[in-house]
Amino acid sequence: SLQQLSSSPTITTLPSLKQQYLVLSVSNLQSILDAVRGGVSIIGTDLVREWSHGGWALCLDLTLDKNTGNGKEKKKETDAAATVGGGGKMDLREDRYARDSLPILVGCKCVVCRPREKTTSGNHHKTISSSGSGGDPIKKVPSFTRAYIHHLLKAKEMLAETLLFVHNLHQVLLLFRQLSE
């Protein structure tokens, strides 16, 4: 654990500046949070890859505060966060996501979750320049749905892990940005 590591003779003899740049191998999100609170700035971990490989999506919902418009990020509980319990992760291998047309995390701005424009006639993506005038109606759809990622996981497609990695990394970077403020 981090407490055992920080009290080890090697760590206690390091100057405080060196402790800020300690590289740790951590296996859970709580260890990362403890390390950051302890002043560690650089953390070496493959946790994001492990979550992605296991079919887990991180659902912390660290989004921009739309009420104040000040660009500050805050943690708020959403539908996804509530369904995954206190762990803040969603197991997209579960069958309950087989027909779920929502993005991994509603409101997330990563390229996996953010909505894209799609025409209702099925002509794939509508370009921004066409703005829908005289053409097919445009509706916003998630870039990748929970159901699609669930399907990719069940089919053992490599794209599933890649999409989850992009989403999970985005969530961790938002968390670190919030912790640094």
Side-chain angles (χ1 to χ4, degrees):
S1 83
L2 182 63
Q3 290 173 337
Q4 292 168 335
L5 181 63
S6 63
S7 63
S8 74
T10 307
I11 300 304
T12 55
T13 59
L14 289 172
S16 62
L17 182 62
K18 297 279 189 200
Q19 288 183 16
Q20 292 176 351
Y21 301 103
L22 180 64
V23 179
L24 298 175
S25 177
V26 293
S27 60
N28 61 52
L29 189 57
Q30 188 59 51
S31 295
I32 292 174
L33 295 174
D34 291 344
V36 171
R37 286 188 197 111
V40 175
S41 299
I42 299 175
I43 301 170
T45 182
D46 68 342
L47 197 53
V48 173
R49 186 206 55 81
E50 285 180 28
W51 289 331
S52 305
H53 184 70
W56 291 93
L58 194 57
C59 296
L60 298 177
D61 193 21
L62 302 166
T63 56
L64 291 176
D65 184 357
K66 293 184 175 84
N67 295 332
T68 62
N70 62 8
K72 294 271 185 187
E73 289 153 339
K74 67 177 186 175
K75 184 174 181 179
K76 62 180 181 177
E77 188 157 344
T78 64
D79 215 19
T83 60
V84 297
K89 292 186 298 186
M90 177 187 301
D91 185 356
L92 288 173
R93 296 169 300 179
E94 292 179 8
D95 288 337
R96 66 179 166 158
Y97 298 114
R99 296 194 181 275
D100 194 334
S101 62
L102 292 173
I104 294 171
L105 183 62
V106 176
C108 177
K109 302 295 183 205
C110 77
V111 296
V112 178
C113 295
R114 71 178 172 219
R116 61 177 169 80
E117 294 179 348
K118 181 179 179 181
T119 62
T120 57
S121 65
N123 291 334
H124 203 55
H125 300 280
K126 191 77 166 180
T127 60
I128 295 173
S129 61
S130 62
S131 72
S133 60
D136 298 317
I138 298 173
K139 67 177 191 171
K140 298 277 186 177
V141 295
S143 291
F144 299 96
T145 64
R146 296 174 186 172
Y148 180 63
I149 296 171
H150 170 82
H151 159 74
L152 292 172
L153 287 165
K154 291 295 186 178
K156 299 186 186 313
E157 291 287 342
M158 190 169 43
L159 179 58
E161 189 173 337
T162 303
L163 294 173
L164 286 170
F165 184 85
V166 169
H167 170 78
N168 290 338
L169 184 60
H170 178 79
Q171 288 287 290
V172 168
L173 291 174
L174 282 176
L175 176 64
F176 283 155
R177 184 180 302 153
Q178 184 182 40
L179 291 172
S180 71
E181 292 177 351

